[in-house]
Amino acid sequence: MYSAQHLIRRLGRAGFAECIKNGIARKIRRGWYAIGDPPQDLVTAVHRGGVLSCVSALEKHGVWVPEQPDVHIRTSGRAARIPDSRFCQRFGRDDPACAAIDDTPTAVQYAARCLDRGEFVAVCDSVMNLGFMTGEQIDYQFRNAPKRILALLDRCDGRAMSGPESMIRFFLEGKHVKVRIQVQIDTVGQVDLLVGKHLIIETDGREFHLERFDEDRARDVAASALGYTTLRFSRDQVLYEWEYVTTSIMEAIAAGVHQRPSRRVKCARERFYTEL
Ligand SMILES: [Zn+2]
């Protein structure tokens, strides 16, 4: 997806006219042309009089975002808008856009007003974890935002490895539960979250891999042998069964599981050697 100005710069006026004439460049709206087969959400954004932004742009850049039913578009400033189109907002006025898709620093500003608090923290965690922006750079983008947004930025942590992990951490901190992230445990490895001394919370990624499944179970058994209790949740459970996830965690904490070692279960290898 290219602006007419960009194409004229690259191809010259004659070359640009030729591209339109022979159908290589397809007009999407005044001043914007598609060449080849651009993604449908990008075409939709430009056609409606905006640019792809907010969580839709962040997802394109590889940032973790919760699934959204709609394409997130922001106005490009000058273009006529298709009536009834929904445009994302940021704190402050829109800048004119020079590309059909916003960069990460711009897109993250729009996400603050489209996501709930936990989701927004999870998105900022992912932006930092992937090295797109530092915490200071994110703070700078929100320098004019209300205090409640600045308070959320204080709760972001770029060490978080996944969105679901961030959302659970945010929830627990809100309940004043002390939680440590990405804790290294001997013979188990690095665990997502550790509550108290003995409750491990792990979240699984988007894809299901059989090798990963076996590996995770081996980790759970090793953790159990050391007296840890592991609660493991899939990405879909965190996104679609939030009530179940949070209730399970809070019930475990209410039962004091995080404070005392679970009954030690010997792992298969130990049993094997004991029985020899
Ligand atoms: Zn949005």
Side-chain angles (χ1 to χ4, degrees):
M1 188 72 62
Y2 302 95
S3 68
Q5 288 165 331
H6 176 87
L7 292 172
I8 290 168
R9 256 200 322 274
R10 287 282 301 273
L11 310 168
R13 282 197 177 275
F16 177 49
E18 186 67 26
C19 274
I20 295 173
K21 198 171 140 200
N22 60 25
I24 293 175
R26 186 161 49 95
K27 185 175 177 180
I28 302 299
R29 79 162 194 246
R30 190 163 170 250
W32 286 89
Y33 292 82
I35 291 181
D37 198 11
Q40 188 51 46
D41 49 3
L42 210 58
V43 175
T44 302
V46 171
H47 175 67
R48 288 187 190 167
V51 298
L52 200 66
S53 186
C54 195
V55 288
S56 298
L58 292 170
E59 188 174 30
K60 282 264 185 295
H61 297 314
V63 172
W64 181 88
V65 297
E67 259 171 31
Q68 300 291 314
D70 301 319
V71 182
H72 286 242
I73 305 167
R74 64 122 169 159
T75 171
S76 59
R78 292 183 294 251
R81 304 168 184 188
I82 298 278
D84 300 327
S85 297
R86 182 179 163 275
F87 290 93
C88 305
Q89 303 285 319
R90 70 172 183 179
F91 298 103
R93 292 164 61 122
D94 293 304
D95 282 336
C98 44
I101 176 168
D102 271 336
D103 56 17
T104 303
T106 308
V108 79
Q109 294 177 53
Y110 288 84
R113 295 184 73 165
C114 276
L115 298 174
D116 72 27
R117 296 174 344 124
E119 290 172 339
F120 174 63
V121 165
V123 164
C124 291
D125 282 0
S126 176
V127 166
M128 286 193 279
N129 184 266
L130 295 168
F132 285 121
M133 296 171 79
T134 63
E136 290 75 25
Q137 287 167 333
I138 296 180
D139 287 348
Y140 180 75
Q141 295 298 336
F142 287 96
R143 60 197 178 283
N144 298 320
K147 282 206 176 89
R148 63 188 165 82
I149 299 293
L150 304 180
L152 286 181
L153 295 178
D154 283 343
R155 294 178 62 179
C156 295
D157 194 323
R159 290 175 300 164
M161 298 296 286
S162 76
E165 176 200 320
S166 297
M167 287 170 65
I168 293 175
R169 182 193 83 233
F170 182 83
F171 165 79
L172 289 173
E173 287 170 351
K175 298 278 179 196
H176 307 291
V177 173
K178 222 172 163 186
V179 56
R180 287 185 285 155
I181 78 171
Q182 297 301 325
V183 180
Q184 183 69 33
I185 299 176
D186 280 349
T187 74
V188 177
Q190 196 151 303
V191 300
D192 289 341
L193 301 169
L194 183 64
V195 181
K197 282 188 176 168
H198 299 285
L199 177 58
I200 293 170
I201 302 173
E202 296 260 63
T203 53
D204 297 337
R206 181 183 287 256
E207 289 93 17
F208 175 82
H209 295 296
L210 206 55
E211 311 84 66
R212 177 75 204 267
F213 181 84
D214 289 344
E215 205 178 287
D216 288 343
R217 267 59 205 167
R219 277 158 66 89
D220 294 350
V221 171
S224 174
L226 293 171
Y228 291 95
T229 298
T230 303
L231 294 180
R232 182 176 291 283
F233 301 105
S234 70
R235 165 193 169 275
D236 283 357
Q237 283 175 319
V238 174
L239 291 182
Y240 307 115
E241 296 171 49
W242 182 242
E243 192 71 29
Y244 158 74
V245 170
T246 52
T247 306
S248 306
I249 296 172
M250 292 315 285
E251 280 178 357
I253 291 172
V257 161
H258 60 306
Q259 288 168 327
R260 59 172 185 270
S262 65
R263 208 159 56 86
R264 193 168 175 281
V265 179
K266 279 184 183 170
C267 68
R269 193 174 290 142
E270 270 187 291
R271 276 203 307 276
F272 177 75
Y273 286 113
T274 319
E275 282 159 16
L276 274 179

